[in-house]
Amino acid sequence: MIQVQQVNHTFLIGKKGKEKKVPVLKGLSFEVKQGEIVAIVGKSGSGKSTLLHTIAGFMSPEQGSITVNGQETANLNETERAVFRLNNFGFIFQNFQLMPGLTAFENVELPLKLKGISPKKRKESVEQMMDKVGLTEVGDHYPNELSGGQQQRVSIARALITNPPILFADEPTGSLDSETEQDILLLIQNLNQTLGVTFVMITHDEEVASIAHRTFKMRDGELVKGDAL
Amino acid sequence: MLFKDQVDFVRQHIKKNKLRVFMTILAATMGCAFLIVLASIGFGIQDTMRKEILQDQAITEVEVYPNENEELNLEEIKSVPYIGAIVQRTSMDVMTSFHLEDRSIQGNLLLTDMQEEEQSNLKLSEGRLPQNESEIVVGYHFAQNLWTDAERAKVVEEEADLPKGYEKSIIGKTVTLSLQPYDSEDAFSEQWEFTVVGVVDIPARDWIIDQSILMDKLWLSKLKGTYEENAEQIPENFTYTTTKIYTDSLEHVKSVTKDLKDMGYNVYSVSEQLEQIDVFFMAFKIGLIFVGTIAVLISSIGIFNTMTMAVTERTREIGVMKAIGASPKLIQRLFLMESAWIGIIGTVLAVIISYAVSYLANWILPMVVGTSLGEDGLQDLSITFSLIPWQLVVLASTISIGVAMISGWRPARKATKIDVIQALRQEL
């Protein structure tokens, strides 16, 4: 499903003209299979977020190739990448990244709007999804009227509404208390099992990593543990 | 994204910043309204001048004058296409007095061809055109200036109110004509009788007093002969002829004017004067629109500022939108729609306000000017201070909405360039 081959990336840090090259990804190669939950763990600055951003197409790697569902993402232009993300990826962020001016229902509906789905079909799909993530009662609430767990559920519902084959989660429980964290992890497992969604998670929480089928550990831009290709 | 959803999206964002958007729309409205009202003054004055000119003269009328010591070649002129009628009116250098009962008037006798007058659509207020030599048509004020000697003396001595003249209908009345040279105290003994069969239409201007008499041109030789018999010598330039050509339609005035000029005649037509006025006012209006556009440009700074603020404020939202699959083109379109919306609402309001200002200006200004000049009559004059034709509305709207979109362009481009990773890192 996702093939990462010899990916290298360097950041330039410092004042203009006096930049310093800092390698963040060093020859990474691995594969994620369909229906897997993969956790990428590592300390801050280990390069795990950069890796996720690279796979998700938010940035292009300097070297190497990333193939998702047979499509080399580095070859796509910005508009093509946006469309590719819309059709193939869902995103769950640590701080939920919900639109504050939209209700929970409207937040979940947003990707369907971007896809140009008719209002009638959208309503049906969103209602089903809200039911699935247990948010039926709070559809007309704004994000600031929801608890952290509810906001993350909205975020998950938004990520899943377009039925993407791959879901990226960046510290999905980082802003939640331990009880809510358990709920969200159960939800992720449930969705993985029932819908067959592939999850790629970034976390430094051992408990979150424990639900993964495989775990890649990163240190200083390298995979130090995991099933490399 | 469906168009309706795009509109909803823009509307939601505008609702969130009502006051800021309102102030921006206000600036756009003021800029556009200033442009329209300023340019409308040019259109208004032009319209007033056109009306003034058209009141003076029939629009199909072309005046022709021969060069010095030359005469018009009527046969040659008749060969010009699209000529409907050639009216030549001849006046004589002699006092022509008309008498009716105990009243008399020194009218302006004009000898003309009645058939040509008919073809030129000479308008009468009553009666008909003469059908024989003994019938005449008189000017609109002919009857009211038929005074008795006593009335005339009273006017001269006491500066009293003007007498009302002959108050009965003049149609069918017989008037007597006598001639008297300007340097003589007595009129010639010969007199001629004529029947008044028509009265010419009221003049276009209130201040024009028409006490002319239109008589068949056959009388010219008779009257001239009488003068020659009675006077010691006939003055040089005893007769003076004006020639007016009437084209068969408005669109041919230009070609007829050109043809006559090519023949070497001196020509004057309303269309020529209108053309000159139009050229002048075109330059004048362009100047006004230019000044007005500066106001629109100033208001566009507000739009630029608002849109830049909107993009900056929504950086994180834009980042999320891009992350979940919104294309840069869509992001750009949404922001352009927002600035266009500001421009459109501002323009619509500006058009409404401009029409109101224009209406008020045309209603109040004549009163104010009239009062300050102490002339009550000014209110009756149809002076257009401001006129907003649809072309001006279209032009101003295009400028205003175009400028709004251009000022929204850069912020919209900035929105597309927002880095997803940086945007997602922004604090909530």
Side-chain angles (χ1 to χ4, degrees):
Chain A
M1 176 142 270
I2 303 172
Q3 276 100 33
V4 177
Q5 287 177 319
Q6 290 301 318
V7 167
N8 287 287
H9 197 76
T10 310
F11 281 151
L12 290 175
I13 294 168
K15 282 186 180 174
K16 211 174 179 184
K18 292 179 181 175
E19 294 102 336
K20 212 170 122 188
K21 280 189 174 181
V22 179
V24 279
L25 301 177
K26 298 173 185 167
L28 297 182
S29 296
F30 62 89
E31 189 178 8
V32 178
K33 295 191 182 80
Q34 190 173 351
E36 271 190 314
I37 300 178
V38 169
I40 300 167
V41 295
K43 288 181 182 171
S44 284
S46 60
K48 56 187 191 302
S49 288
T50 307
L51 176 62
L52 183 118
H53 293 154
T54 315
I55 301 170
F58 296 160
M59 55 189 277
S60 300
E62 271 177 10
Q63 286 175 340
S65 79
I66 295 164
T67 313
V68 180
N69 274 342
Q71 172 69 53
E72 170 67 63
T73 53
N75 293 342
L76 302 174
N77 65 28
E78 214 182 333
T79 302
E80 288 167 340
R81 264 192 235 176
V83 175
F84 190 78
R85 279 200 293 272
L86 185 61
N87 293 323
N88 295 280
F89 300 157
F91 293 95
I92 304 169
F93 302 99
Q94 180 181 359
N95 45 11
F96 324 126
Q97 301 289 10
L98 300 177
M99 299 287 192
L102 301 181
T103 63
F105 186 97
E106 289 165 343
N107 265 288
V108 176
E109 192 186 24
L110 189 57
L112 295 180
K113 278 189 176 177
L114 293 178
K115 283 191 99 168
I117 309 288
S118 70
K120 198 182 162 194
K121 282 185 183 168
R122 287 199 311 246
K123 192 167 181 283
E124 272 173 34
S125 304
V126 176
E127 277 171 354
Q128 277 176 16
M129 185 55 69
M130 297 288 272
D131 187 39
K132 210 173 278 178
V133 297
L135 288 171
T136 321
E137 303 294 318
V138 295
D140 56 352
H141 285 45
Y142 286 92
N144 61 1
E145 297 164 349
L146 299 173
S147 69
Q150 284 173 323
Q151 286 190 56
Q152 195 56 299
R153 281 169 187 270
V154 175
S155 170
I156 292 170
R158 183 181 67 186
L160 287 168
I161 193 71
T162 54
N163 295 320
I166 301 159
L167 214 142
F168 294 104
D170 186 357
E171 303 281 7
T173 59
S175 304
L176 304 175
D177 58 62
S178 57
E179 198 177 324
T180 318
E181 180 182 301
Q182 284 304 318
D183 282 353
I184 296 296
L185 292 178
L186 276 172
L187 180 64
I188 289 173
Q189 280 181 306
N190 185 22
L191 293 168
N192 172 255
Q193 281 159 16
T194 54
L195 303 175
V197 183
T198 306
F199 277 86
V200 178
M201 295 192 298
I202 286 177
T203 183
H204 55 262
D205 186 333
E206 292 292 331
E207 194 156 353
V208 175
S210 69
I211 69 161
H213 300 127
R214 285 193 296 157
T215 304
F216 298 140
K217 192 169 185 183
M218 284 189 72
R219 188 188 297 148
D220 297 332
E222 288 175 308
L223 282 182
V224 291
K225 182 190 152 196
D227 303 330
L229 268 175
Chain B
M1 202 173 191
L2 300 174
F3 182 72
K4 185 186 167 296
D5 292 327
Q6 294 175 23
V7 173
D8 277 349
F9 192 88
V10 171
R11 211 185 54 217
Q12 272 173 343
H13 283 295
I14 286 171
K15 259 170 93 178
K16 270 202 310 197
N17 286 302
K18 272 187 213 152
L19 183 64
R20 193 167 69 201
V21 173
F22 170 76
M23 297 307 283
T24 315
I25 289 174
L26 190 66
T29 303
M30 285 167 70
C32 185
F34 180 74
L35 164 63
I36 297 175
V37 170
L38 195 67
S40 78
I41 296 168
F43 281 96
I45 297 172
Q46 185 184 17
D47 184 64
T48 304
M49 289 196 72
R50 283 183 73 103
K51 276 184 191 160
E52 287 283 303
I53 292 163
L54 290 174
Q55 263 185 3
D56 282 344
Q57 194 176 350
I59 193 146
T60 55
E61 189 178 288
V62 180
E63 285 179 27
V64 193
Y65 304 96
N67 288 316
E68 220 171 314
N69 304 323
E70 284 180 23
E71 285 198 4
L72 293 175
N73 183 344
L74 286 183
E75 289 308 313
E76 186 188 37
I77 291 173
K78 276 179 187 165
S79 69
V80 173
Y82 312 120
I83 285 183
I86 301 171
V87 176
Q88 286 196 304
R89 287 178 175 177
T90 305
S91 57
M92 296 182 298
D93 189 14
V94 61
M95 277 195 281
T96 50
S97 301
F98 286 83
H99 303 267
L100 173 62
E101 297 164 8
D102 59 340
R103 296 169 181 276
S104 66
I105 184 172
Q106 280 189 17
N108 176 26
L109 179 61
L110 297 168
L111 296 133
T112 182
D113 184 325
M114 290 303 169
Q115 278 183 343
E116 293 285 1
E117 292 284 359
E118 192 176 2
Q119 281 175 17
S120 74
N121 288 324
L122 176 70
K123 284 184 185 151
L124 301 179
S125 66
E126 57 179 320
R128 56 169 175 79
L129 283 171
Q131 288 169 349
N132 59 55
E133 289 171 41
S134 64
E135 291 179 344
I136 56 169
V137 167
V138 294
Y140 188 81
H141 300 101
F142 181 87
Q144 70 186 55
N145 285 311
L146 269 171
W147 296 340
T148 61
D149 288 342
E151 282 173 340
R152 194 167 288 114
K154 207 174 170 187
V155 169
V156 174
E157 284 167 20
E158 298 176 18
E159 295 182 356
D161 287 344
L162 291 176
K164 289 180 179 170
Y166 190 78
E167 290 183 277
K168 293 179 213 164
S169 172
I170 192 90
I171 301 288
K173 298 289 183 296
T174 301
V175 293
T176 311
L177 165 67
S178 61
L179 301 180
Q180 180 186 343
Y182 284 110
D183 53 4
S184 165
E185 289 184 4
D186 298 311
F188 300 148
S189 56
E190 285 95 332
Q191 291 191 326
W192 301 268
E193 286 191 340
F194 297 92
T195 308
V196 178
V197 293
V199 178
V200 179
D201 205 4
I202 188 166
R205 305 279 178 195
D206 290 345
W207 44 266
I208 294 177
I209 305 295
D210 181 10
Q211 50 190 39
S212 59
I213 300 96
L214 293 180
M215 188 181 283
D216 197 292
K217 65 178 179 184
L218 289 170
W219 282 94
L220 179 62
S221 54
K222 286 183 196 173
L223 297 176
K224 199 174 173 183
T226 304
Y227 192 98
E228 282 170 337
E229 281 169 23
N230 290 283
E232 289 169 9
Q233 66 174 57
I234 192 156
E236 207 182 339
N237 300 326
F238 179 69
T239 59
Y240 177 73
T241 303
T242 59
T243 308
K244 289 179 178 175
I245 290 170
Y246 294 85
T247 61
D248 56 5
S249 72
L250 175 63
E251 65 207 53
H252 296 130
V253 173
K254 208 171 175 181
S255 69
V256 169
T257 305
K258 187 180 174 298
D259 288 348
L260 291 170
K261 272 188 175 172
D262 290 346
M263 288 175 180
Y265 297 124
N266 298 310
V267 184
Y268 169 77
S269 69
V270 171
S271 75
E272 209 174 38
Q273 196 178 352
L274 286 180
E275 223 167 71
Q276 287 167 1
I277 282 182
D278 285 348
V279 169
F280 169 76
F281 273 97
M282 180 57 74
F284 184 52
K285 285 184 291 188
I286 288 171
L288 291 177
I289 289 168
F290 178 75
V291 175
T293 304
I294 292 173
V296 175
L297 288 173
I298 292 169
S299 76
S300 77
I301 297 170
I303 298 174
F304 178 83
N305 202 20
T306 297
M307 295 313 297
T308 307
M309 292 266 286
V311 171
T312 309
E313 276 177 1
R314 287 184 229 154
T315 299
R316 192 185 64 80
E317 286 179 45
I318 295 163
V320 175
M321 293 267 290
K322 286 177 88 173
I324 63 176
S327 67
K329 275 184 188 167
L330 176 67
I331 304 278
Q332 183 174 342
R333 198 181 316 137
L334 291 174
F335 279 94
L336 278 180
M337 278 172 74
E338 196 166 326
S339 54
W341 191 89
I342 290 170
I344 289 167
I345 297 293
T347 304
V348 170
L349 290 175
V351 170
I352 295 167
I353 289 169
S354 303
Y355 271 109
V357 169
S358 174
Y359 177 79
L360 282 174
N362 289 331
W363 181 49
I364 292 170
L365 279 181
M367 285 200 281
V368 174
V369 175
T371 310
S372 63
L373 294 176
E375 291 175 30
D376 297 337
L378 200 67
Q379 289 167 37
D380 302 328
L381 293 177
S382 57
I383 296 176
T384 310
F385 284 94
S386 164
L387 178 76
I388 306 175
W390 66 266
Q391 293 94 330
L392 176 58
V393 174
V394 171
L395 181 70
S397 302
T398 310
I399 292 174
S400 182
I401 296 170
V403 167
M405 289 189 72
I406 291 167
S407 29
W409 180 264
R410 208 179 139 78
R413 287 292 299 164
K414 189 184 163 195
T416 66
K417 299 256 186 289
I418 283 173
D419 180 59
V420 179
I421 301 164
Q422 294 293 331
L424 293 178
R425 280 185 189 146
Q426 271 202 355
E427 290 295 318
L428 287 173

